[in-house]
Amino acid sequence: MTLLLAGDIGGTKTNLLLAIAEAPDRLQPLYQASFASAAYSDLVPMVQEFLAAAQPTESRSPVVACFGIAGPVVAGRAQLTNLPWHLSETRLAAELGIPKVALINDFAAIAYGLPGLTDADQVVIQTGEADPAAPIAILGAGTGLGEGFIIPTTQGRQVFSSEGSHADFAPQTELESELLHFLRDFYEIEHVSVERVVSGQGIAAIYAFLRDRQPEQENPALGAIATAWQTGDEQAPDLAAAVSQAALSDRDPLALQAMRIFVSAYGAEAGNLALKLLSYGGVYVAGGIAGKILPLLTDGTFLRAFQAKGRVQELLTRMPVTIVTNHEVGLIGAGLHAAAIAAQS
């Protein structure tokens, strides 16, 4: 059977998988490992380390590799948005000794992975009226924010990546307008993208904004983590994770307020993408954060913001909305796309 190498390459973590294809929508995993992306200067030494460790399990070499990249891919080349790596399909194939290497956007990988999910991997928060011939929208927050979409055709689904997360952040309340001004000053920038709010870095920035406004409400332990983050301490705990965990525990009102702003902005952006595509085929919310904050995404805040589009609100209520809880959907998609490439060779 054809040996495949799949990778989901993020700004924080990279997951790698050796597998064979059992069916068009199912992989048989052989060996898998995760790596801290920033600990490596390039993808090549990471993959070489991975393949060396996999040798006791699988002695053959992969025939096809496919990597989902957190950033735009143009003509087989990619520069990661949140990692200083410059990758190309031809260089990776030559240096890794793999005949065929494909680079795809990470949200294209998620799109390819959707058929490989089970019911246990997803939670439907709005049933809607699914149209199998209509576009499907995909977005998800992790280290950054990714977006993509699927267009059904008579030849099958066509997958497209997007850089919509770098479009303008659009405040919906007075508080969010204040947040916009805070972000401009904090980062010393003019253009504030939606990714600055709807992402892990966005959760941290929202909390920093709120602690400046309401210092009397801050939990001292969380405040210490936030101070370390704001001063650029690379050894500090993950502020976004600390804020989300504090909000889920329902013991920290400032953290809960930060997460409600985050979830509302998330829902609003999902609605923006859905309107632009008229995605009656469905809206899928993926990314590394979704499964970790599922109670906050299903309490109604996300869906209210998703639907709040004035005169066209009724259009949004017709679209199915699903939260993808399997954080490995991009890895599955890269593997399934590698299998499709192998089948065509």
Side-chain angles (χ1 to χ4, degrees):
M1 290 185 174
T2 303
L3 186 64
L4 309 168
L5 172 61
D8 181 13
I9 303 173
T12 302
K13 183 174 70 172
T14 291
N15 293 322
L16 297 175
L17 170 71
L18 271 180
I20 56 176
E22 290 186 326
D25 61 352
R26 190 168 68 252
L27 299 171
Q28 179 185 334
L30 300 176
Y31 184 76
Q32 183 174 344
S34 295
F35 300 83
S37 302
Y40 295 80
S41 61
D42 186 76
L43 180 60
V44 169
M46 180 191 292
V47 172
Q48 290 172 336
E49 180 180 324
F50 170 79
L51 293 175
Q55 285 304 314
T57 304
E58 184 55 64
S59 59
R60 294 175 293 163
S61 297
V63 174
V64 178
C66 179
F67 300 104
I69 305 293
V73 178
V74 180
R77 296 178 176 272
Q79 178 178 349
L80 276 74
T81 304
N82 294 300
L83 202 63
W85 291 1
H86 298 267
L87 306 176
S88 77
E89 294 173 346
T90 53
R91 178 176 71 84
L92 291 172
E95 294 187 15
L96 293 173
I98 298 174
K100 176 62 178 178
V101 173
L103 299 178
I104 59 176
N105 177 265
D106 56 341
F107 269 75
I110 288 173
Y112 287 122
L114 293 181
L117 297 179
T118 67
D119 289 344
D121 296 325
Q122 47 200 318
V123 175
V124 178
I125 62 172
Q126 179 168 278
T127 305
E129 304 167 15
D131 179 353
I136 296 169
I138 307 163
L139 77 165
T143 303
L145 174 66
E147 298 186 358
F149 57 100
I150 300 169
I151 304 294
T153 72
T154 55
Q155 288 77 42
R157 291 180 167 189
Q158 281 193 278
V159 171
F160 297 88
S161 58
S162 168
E163 290 301 320
S165 62
H166 296 287
D168 305 329
F169 168 58
Q172 299 299 304
T173 65
E174 288 298 324
L175 187 60
E176 289 183 1
S177 293
E178 291 182 33
L179 172 62
L180 174 64
H181 291 293
F182 171 85
L183 293 172
R184 282 178 175 156
D185 292 340
F186 184 76
Y187 290 112
E188 298 181 345
I189 54 176
E190 286 298 320
H191 173 252
V192 177
S193 68
V194 66
E195 183 179 61
R196 294 283 188 181
V197 178
V198 184
S199 62
Q201 62 179 327
I203 292 173
I206 293 167
Y207 184 81
F209 160 67
L210 291 176
R211 74 191 291 252
D212 277 4
R213 294 181 81 254
Q214 305 164 56
E216 72 284 353
Q217 291 193 23
E218 185 166 49
N219 175 293
L222 196 52
I225 298 174
T227 297
W229 176 80
Q230 287 187 259
T231 56
D233 182 356
E234 295 182 358
Q235 304 303 314
D238 185 336
L239 177 57
V243 170
S244 59
Q245 288 165 9
L248 286 166
S249 72
D250 206 24
R251 293 195 300 265
D252 191 310
L254 204 61
L256 188 57
Q257 185 182 8
M259 291 306 297
R260 283 176 175 156
I261 292 172
F262 167 80
V263 170
S264 182
Y266 205 166
E269 176 60 13
N272 289 340
L273 181 61
L275 271 183
K276 290 173 181 177
L277 295 171
L278 288 180
S279 51
Y280 297 120
V283 177
Y284 286 83
V285 181
I289 294 175
K292 298 174 183 176
I293 64 164
L294 189 60
L296 299 173
L297 291 176
T298 57
D299 69 0
T301 302
F302 181 96
L303 207 53
R304 282 192 297 272
F306 175 81
Q307 296 174 350
K309 301 301 179 188
R311 293 169 293 173
V312 294
Q313 177 171 330
E314 187 271 336
L315 301 183
L316 278 299
T317 63
R318 292 167 49 192
M319 299 178 188
V321 181
T322 302
I323 309 296
V324 176
T325 56
N326 186 337
H327 68 278
E328 293 188 343
V329 59
L331 188 64
I332 294 169
L336 291 176
H337 191 52
I341 294 170
Q344 294 168 2
S345 300

